[in-house]
Amino acid sequence: MFSNPLLLVALAVTAHCAAPPVDKNLKPCGESYYLPSQYTCYDGNFLCPVSDGEALLRCGGACYRPAMYGCSNGELIYPPTSGSNSALTGTASGPSGTASSSATASSSAATCTGTPTTLHLSDPPYENYFYSDCHSASQVVVTSPLSGSNLTIIGPRLLVAWPAGNSGVVAFFAPQNGVNGSLGIELFNGTSVQPLDGVYSPANTSSLTGNAKVGISTLVRFNASAVLTVPIMGSIRTMRDFTEGPSILVPSVQNAITFSQTSGGGAVLSRLWFDNITTTSMSFVPTTTTNTSSSITINNRSLELAAGTYNFTATFDYPQLEQLSETEVLNTQSQGLIEQNADQVTSLSFLSYTNKLTAGAWRFLTYFGRDSMISLLLLQPVLSEGQGGAVEAVISAVLERLNRTDGSVCHEETIGDYATYLNLQKNISSTAPGCTYQMVDTDYYLMPVMQNYFLESPVGQSRKDAFLATVSSQDFGNQGLTYAELALINAEKIMNTSAAFAAAGGQTEDNLIHLKEDQVVGEWRDSTYGIGGGRIPYDVNSALVPAALRSIATLSASGFFPEYPEWTTLAGEYAQVWEDSALQFFEVTVPVDQARTLVTNYTASASDGFPSYASNITSPIVYHGLSLQGNNDQPLVKVMNTDDCFRHFLLNTTNQTQLTAFINQTANNILNPFPVGLSNPIGLLVANPAYGGDAVYAANWTNNAYHGTVVWSWPMAMMAAGLQRQIGRCSTTPVPEFCANQAVRTKALAAYNHLWDLIEANSGNLSSEVWSWMYSGGTFESIPLGSLPPPPGQSPTESDVRQLWSLTYLAVTRDTGLQ
């Protein structure tokens, strides 16, 4: 029998005389017998193997994969050309021995009627390529060190990510000469600026999954001889564990990768998933432009490649998602954005599917509850509504994944190969997906999202009854419950957990919302030191809880939650207490002299050379700390931050003295330059630890920390939208008192415009997840966060080149009337 079914180009297996089979599943091919799941019989006496669920075709005396080769006059040709497969020699025999069309179908893949959607985004040392057609969506990331790259964290790498199954492949390379930094790789195509081509092979009768094999093909060039040192195939989660953890490799994943030589001088790596039916493959085959002696050597589960050009193909056969096209993801009024903001809309489409929106490319190509709901809150004015639209994709995805036992909203889904792997760790043989529910902030976004759509959108109003009557059907444990029942479970949790603080005399620290006991993270600053080890987060308690309560009251007044008619009044009463009383627990006031000393000392300890601007401090510094009960016995984590944006964007508070002071402090911190405030030429920093007064602050909130002195795109968008909302209240009734305070109102307007100046000055970074800075030559310069070594004890973090909530500037725009 054929010993290796994973070759792209295999010598045919000729039939040999054999006794009649005992196994009735074996079929005759000439004088031998075969299993149709493993071979295809051509001309009644010529076997070709089934490779990764695909029936290889016959070409003369060889077998081949049509995505990789063509056949002309009985000879293999490379690359395949249109019409070359018409010269097949022989026909395939099906299980009964009659002619079958499966092989022919494999050679003539279904053609997409539309033009593929492509995008190239350069973020040195990362080059990102996107490809979508009617069959699948792929992202390819090529990492090639630059002359100034930190070679301890930046090395040659070729990565493919697929939203379907949150899956992909990655290959890490090293130079054969051992000189770190000497190896460079690049994708190219001699006829197009877009180097990617789609791969599609229809499912056939022998496919284990019954799914088509899809992926991408491209040409990759190595400037020097290379060694493929580490391949990872299957789940993006296992790839993240390696790149962001302490280089974690799962033996059961790695040992399942098979390495096979091809007769074309190439090699193919293939891995069967834990479900035992899905296969991921990647191959490297020398092109005709490469020296014929440059074949690939398999050596101790690694590949050795000579300098030159190779055809690289990556495929898998997992069920695909239904992508929302550029026209489908936007509402009718916003179609003009396709031309005005082409790459942002293309990116939004790549992240958007009919049953969910994914968080970011490449590291988070899957459902994240917080990300999708924050994105919806900011993007709703331009998103498509109604059945099959983007808005309902977000809301239904959240409800499908809700924890029906306690009302928690899913933070991140676990799907595909990683889900099966985690199930096996529990001795469960199942491919069922799972969810993580460790975050506390995510629970509070659902009610505002539902209010905005079902009460404030005409389309949402018309869809309310039909949508809420929908019965959960996805495999997250909620089958049989309607969306209305699931929403109620979440609302009950919010009412129950907020009641103690809202009760008479209940305004104590103990009654605020805490992180879950077994978790060190719980809101959007979800890195180890994001909120300084705090147990009581500022954003959740000061903004998210009262916002959710306000929405419950409004929804209840409109007929939602008929089981609790008292919520119309009670939820509003709860919200008022939270709005008025939670903020004070987080307030920090630093006297002028102390503030100048702290800023001066912080600047000196940072050793980056930037100025302290201490002379700018002429009044006490006021801000609200990140959390309570922090590390090192810190009762209040004293880090200035951008989380004021939640309160400005989500709430119209009515305690006038408090509101005026809060707007004033936010404006001051936006206008003041870092390290006095948050303003930096590269954007608004999400954290400023200068006022901590403890060395631990400067050590943990740095320019190379995920939530340190760095810029995240979406908080600037939410802050801009929030300030616009608060300033806009000056034209409504009742008019807030701050509107009559000329100094505060003028300062708020100045902060709004200064923020927009920063946003516009950094337009090239806005669609990415997070970026950092270097101070050189007297100026701050933006750089990718992933190009910096991580802080001691922390893992490196690579920013996504496109993040869902960073695309919100499609809807959040500057109000020129406020200039």
Side-chain angles (χ1 to χ4, degrees), residues 152-165:
T152 63
I153 57 174
I154 300 296
R157 183 191 69 179
L158 181 58
L159 181 149
V160 180
W162 296 302

Side-chain angles (χ1 to χ4, degrees), residues 36 157 383 629 683:
R157 183 191 69 179
L383 291 181
Q629 301 178 9

Side-chain angles (χ1 to χ4, degrees), residues 41-326:
C41 180
Y42 291 94
D43 295 323
N45 64 359
F46 191 95
L47 291 175
C48 277
V50 172
S51 174
D52 304 336
E54 175 186 354
L56 298 191
L57 307 183
R58 179 183 180 181
C59 182
C63 302
Y64 73 101
R65 178 171 288 160
M68 295 296 300
Y69 294 91
C71 180
S72 179
N73 300 318
E75 298 289 336
L76 289 176
I77 60 173
Y78 181 87
T81 58
S82 177
S84 63
N85 293 327
S86 62
L88 294 174
T89 58
T91 58
S93 297
S96 64
T98 59
S100 167
S101 61
S102 62
T104 303
S106 295
S107 66
S108 55
T111 301
C112 295
T113 56
T115 301
T117 300
T118 61
L119 181 65
H120 174 208
L121 299 172
S122 182
D123 187 28
Y126 310 103
E127 298 297 326
N128 294 264
Y129 302 88
F130 296 84
Y131 180 96
S132 301
D133 60 22
C134 67
H135 300 309
S136 64
S138 302
Q139 179 188 3
V140 177
V141 186
V142 181
T143 309
S144 199
L146 305 174
S147 58
S149 292
N150 185 324
L151 300 179
T152 63
I153 57 174
I154 300 296
R157 183 191 69 179
L158 181 58
L159 181 149
V160 180
W162 296 302
N166 193 27
S167 54
V169 302
V170 63
F172 292 88
F173 298 93
Q176 284 196 46
N177 63 14
V179 179
N180 200 6
S182 64
L183 176 63
I185 59 177
E186 63 175 330
L187 302 190
F188 78 99
N189 186 317
T191 61
S192 171
V193 294
Q194 168 54 243
L196 302 185
D197 287 315
V199 173
Y200 176 83
S201 297
N204 54 59
T205 56
S206 59
S207 170
L208 296 176
T209 63
N211 301 315
K213 186 179 300 297
V214 299
I216 58 92
S217 180
T218 186
L219 296 177
V220 58
R221 177 186 291 147
F222 296 84
N223 72 333
S225 57
V227 179
L228 195 166
T229 56
V230 178
I232 305 175
M233 309 176 71
S235 172
I236 292 292
R237 286 293 300 269
T238 58
M239 293 157 60
R240 279 172 48 196
D241 287 345
F242 181 78
T243 59
E244 298 179 5
S247 299
I248 297 171
L249 289 173
V250 180
S252 56
V253 173
Q254 297 307 108
N255 294 339
I257 299 175
T258 62
F259 293 71
S260 305
Q261 202 86 47
T262 74
S263 60
V268 59
L269 283 68
S270 185
R271 177 178 167 261
L272 185 67
W273 286 17
F274 290 111
D275 63 8
N276 290 321
I277 58 172
T278 305
T279 301
T280 297
S281 297
M282 64 173 166
S283 63
F284 295 86
V285 178
T287 67
T288 54
T289 59
T290 303
N291 191 299
T292 55
S293 64
S294 300
S295 60
I296 298 173
T297 302
I298 300 174
N299 184 4
N300 193 26
R301 296 184 62 78
S302 68
L303 301 184
E304 297 176 354
L305 305 92
T309 303
Y310 297 81
N311 186 291
F312 170 75
T313 300
T315 63
F316 71 136
D317 56 352
Y318 192 76
Q320 297 298 298
L321 302 172
E322 184 179 348
Q323 187 176 358
L324 293 174
S325 68
E326 294 170 336

